[in-house]
Amino acid sequence: MAYIAGAYEHPTRDAGDKTLAQLQIESALGALADAGLSKSDVDGFFCGPDAPGTGPLSIADYMNLDLRHVDTTNTSGSSYVLHVAHAAQAIAAGKCNVALITLAGRPRADGRRKGAIVRNDSPAQPDYQWEQPFGMQILNMYGMTAMRHRALYGTTSEQLAWIRVAASEHAKHNELAMIRKPVTVEEVVQSPLVADPLRRLDCCITSDGGGAVIVTRPEIAKSLAMGRFRPCVRVKGSGERPQHQQGGYFEITESGAVVSGRTAFAEARVRPADIKYVSLYDSFTITVLIQLEDLGFCAKGQGGRFVMDGNLISGIGKLPFNTDGGGLCNNHPGARGGMTKIIEAVRQVRGEAHPAVQVPNCDLALVNAIGGQLGVRHASGTLILERE
Amino acid sequence: MTGRIPSDPQPTAETQPFWDAAREGRFLVKRCRACTKAHWYPRTHCPFCASADTEWTEASGGGTIYSYSVMRRAEPVYVMAYVTLDEGPTMMTNLVDCDPDALAVGARVRIVYKPSTGGFAMPMFSPVPEVRS
Ligand SMILES: [Zn+2]
């Protein structure tokens, strides 16, 4: 089993003149410094399509990394969660000792504000002609997912709003959060409809920045942690699951988290009730609700009831989530939310989260991300992290 | 009110028969001769049993709303939807000629063709008025 020895969230939310390559190396060096390692220790490099150039090549060249293992698995926003699992596998197989995983994005500086994310769909995709002409967008795919969940289970806008409220109650403690002002359920349900039944405040922010994590061998992680008088963060279980339209017979209210979660829990030999904190990729409020159900924190259809009355707020509820404010309020660099979810989970397991939101005795945390789009094609990645 | 005009689908050799038939007002669904199951979207190899023995069959054009979402800020406003066809599979489409505030998951719809920017006949759906007995 491998360990996460370093984690770093880039402090910027608007990159200005900083290039993607600069954001990549600043994030990488931040994570290495957090681990107590240097660039020359890195022998494995994992990145997503946010890294400019052919796969890992341009950024490896820019940073002048001396590598013997690379992985550019791309499942959009969940890529980085899968990278942690793949890094652990590569380390176990002896393919590398110190794996660097990076993310950087600058959609704001590039003028691509929320709702204007450039998509890379090509007519060579077999699905293209059956979807793109009809105006398929990220927004309406999640909108349809929320609409069907409402029709099947009676989930209300007020229930979804509680997810935003919880995120905002956490973000108010985070000096770097893009939106720090707490909101009420009433404010969320009175915000304008954008894609029925989702409203403006059901949607995440878009920000510039990045992040990086370091995954390494047990003996290296333990000696580094000992030198810094802090606990180790062990990758205790992982799972991944691409999910799609299955030939036209599908249920959009059920995500790949059913399988990725089951796989991770089985590997970690723990149950949902053992988890003290969850980081869930909150592209929209509905994404959080569906992950909670599919990971087994409540029964299918009960997510609306589960999130009500502050149940996700640290210090108040049973299952604190996204204590940094998440993608709804804090940070969503490059519209890829997996990385920041890992980083906040590492803080929680180490006991290094903001004191106002630190979960007491947080010995077991779960990270889940849905990359791509609920409602059509996505990949879910799950990690279970343990304090040691 | 004029609706949103869909972009062109960019057919391939694998799908040209669908778009040719649509021009004539015929709605084709691919069905597998080996396992008899209909699938969406149409492809050469059956997504269930992988047989290449698939055929175009004319579908009824009836279905029910699986889900939908109204794009409130788009100009013009349009309705994204999944419709479950009476033949079994669910397809992505738009709901048109309808009041966006009067739609419901499970409601009956019927196929209607709307032209794309380049003149393709795009399969869309509109609500069927309820028949009172
Ligand atoms: Zn078949």
Side-chain angles (χ1 to χ4, degrees), chain B residues 73-91:
Chain B
R73 293 191 302 185
E75 185 53 56
V77 169
Y78 67 99
V79 185
M80 197 72 207
Y82 273 125
V83 166
T84 302
L85 304 175
D86 290 347
E87 287 74 16
T90 296
M91 68 175 278

Side-chain angles (χ1 to χ4, degrees), chain A residues 14 101 117 152 176 186 206 233 319 364 368:
Chain A
D14 202 335
I101 305 167
I117 305 292
L152 292 181
L176 296 174
E186 290 68 33
T206 295
V233 180
L319 188 65
L364 213 50
N368 204 86

Side-chain angles (χ1 to χ4, degrees), chain B residues 32 34-35 46 48-51:
Chain B
C32 176
C35 75
C46 171
F48 310 112
C49 74
S51 167

